[in-house]
Amino acid sequence: MARAALLLPVALLLCLALAGSAGAERKMVGVYELKNKKGDFSIKVTNWGATLMSVIVPDSEGNLADVVLGYDTIAEYVNGSSYFGALVGRVANRVAKGRFVLDGKAYHLYSNDGKNALHGRLSFSGSSPSRMDHDVIASLMISPSGFSKVIWTVKEYVPDCDSPYITFYYHSFDGEQGFPGDLDVYVTYRLSSPYELSLHMNATALDKATPVNLVNHAYWNLAGHGSGDVLGHLIQVFASEYTPVDSSMIPTGQIAGVAGTPYDLRRLTPLGSRINLVSGGGAAGYDVNYAVHGEGFTQVAFLRDTASGRAMELWANQPGVQLYTSNWLKDEKGKDGKVYQKHAALCLETQAFPDAVNHPNFPSEIVRPGGVYSHDMLLKFSS
Ligand SMILES: *[C@@H]1O[C@H](CO)[C@@H](O)[C@H](O)[C@H]1NC(C)=O
Ligand SMILES: *[C@@H]1O[C@H](CO)[C@@H](O)[C@H](O)[C@H]1NC(C)=O
């Protein structure tokens, strides 16, 4: 992706969006903190991409560490292409050839690999930005990265209570990224005692059926971001099946057992122990979707850093979870002057199965008008 070319036009659009719309203050890009009463558990989020910027948790001795990768400034999030902490949508993960058929109609999405459609779309050549209406500006702001590259509205920010929370709202319009129908999207980040972070995401299809798959793309390193690789973390994934992919990372449609494969993480396993046996899209490491055990809200994974003792349980109500071990990170300048390398963190993205819209045997990710997509995640930290 032509990332460097992105920064300037988007920064310009930010100013326009702020100057142009009524209720501009609610759309101003800001950083918001949620903190527990004791002061040893806090997160920072921004309405740029509804992004989780930091998660600070103690170890058993009370040493605090920020356990997610990220950047210091919003400008770097605007420019970045690693999805640090981002809220990805309308459909996270891959859609084969950017195409699907829904109710007999074919849809084509903006392809975001190879040629960069974004650069051209963000050009103002020949038209005056001041005369563009809000929708035009909004559509110009669409990036191939979707919901993680737009400004969300801060609906509610309630920092001073026992369970502080913040709710972001985004209206995705008919045709955005090529998807059908208007969609109202909310995400709420909330802290609760003792050390719990929950995310509630929902999306309401207003007029047309559409696929929806929202994902939080936090990169976890329980030893602290920038502390080195996570190969020594112990991991457990509550799944006995996964969805194998072809060489372009598109599911074959098979739902295969993990038994006897390096994907078997049903018992607590050092992440690095078999990581050399797996690869995804040409890079060594895990990049795989698991079919999560059980229905409804259930435990998906457990993670522990043995050195600090920090641990994290992940619960969710989604059929799948993508385990991604930061296989593509290289010399990425992050927070506090840290530089992130390969396997500096891992992502556990609870989700619909990748390319579900093209696989009738996968759990459906279609939301019909009046229907509500609802995705809950709970992260329980301990030490
Ligand atoms: C934008 O991203 C590119 C690619 O990662 C990087 O080389 C460049 O330094 C970044 N620019 C800024 C201003 O962060
Ligand atoms: C979606 O979430 C928001 C914020 O948590 C909430 O106010 C709203 O009622 C939810 N919508 C639906 C349809 O559940």
Side-chain angles (χ1 to χ4, degrees), residues 89-291:
R90 188 183 290 202
V91 174
N93 216 300
R94 293 171 179 85
V95 175
K97 301 191 177 78
R99 281 202 309 247
F100 64 94
V101 175
L102 180 55
D103 296 339
K105 193 171 180 323
Y107 293 94
H108 301 269
L109 312 175
Y110 295 113
S111 170
N112 62 349
D113 40 48
K115 277 183 231 141
N116 190 352
L118 176 62
H119 190 185
R121 293 179 59 78
L122 282 173
S123 158
F124 279 123
S125 56
S127 52
S128 156
S130 60
R131 280 189 274 111
M132 291 182 182
D133 67 24
H134 180 264
D135 274 3
V136 174
I137 290 174
S139 76
L140 283 168
M141 289 183 66
I142 300 166
S143 83
S145 316
F147 296 177
S148 55
K149 294 285 187 186
V150 294
I151 302 172
W152 294 58
T153 303
V154 179
K155 272 283 175 194
E156 264 194 294
Y157 176 46
V158 184
D160 297 314
C161 62
D162 286 337
S163 291
Y165 68 94
I166 187 164
T167 298
F168 299 124
Y169 165 75
Y170 180 64
H171 177 80
S172 173
F173 54 87
D174 188 12
E176 185 173 333
Q177 298 175 273
F179 288 108
D182 288 285
L183 191 74
D184 274 339
V185 189
Y186 291 85
V187 53
T188 298
Y189 288 92
R190 185 189 301 267
L191 299 191
S192 353
S193 288
Y195 296 99
E196 296 186 1
L197 165 60
S198 69
L199 276 79
H200 172 67
M201 304 163 238
N202 69 35
T204 306
L206 299 180
D207 45 18
K208 291 180 189 167
T210 177
V212 177
N213 183 29
L214 307 180
V215 153
N216 176 266
H217 208 300
Y219 283 67
W220 302 101
N221 183 331
L222 297 181
H225 82 100
S227 66
D229 68 55
V230 287
L231 299 180
H233 278 43
L234 299 178
I235 187 169
Q236 188 171 17
V237 177
F238 297 87
S240 50
E241 293 175 312
Y242 72 109
T243 52
V245 292
D246 65 19
S247 59
S248 63
M249 294 297 290
I250 296 299
T252 60
Q254 195 193 359
I255 300 173
V258 296
T261 78
Y263 298 113
D264 189 349
L265 302 175
R266 288 174 294 179
R267 289 168 187 228
L268 206 57
T269 308
L271 184 66
S273 63
R274 279 170 292 168
I275 199 168
N276 291 330
L277 302 175
V278 293
S279 67
Y286 290 93
D287 193 356
V288 59
N289 172 62
Y290 287 93

Side-chain angles (χ1 to χ4, degrees), residues 3-4 7 75-76 79-81 332:
R3 285 170 295 192
L7 183 65
E76 290 164 288
N79 180 49
S81 59
E332 177 109 19

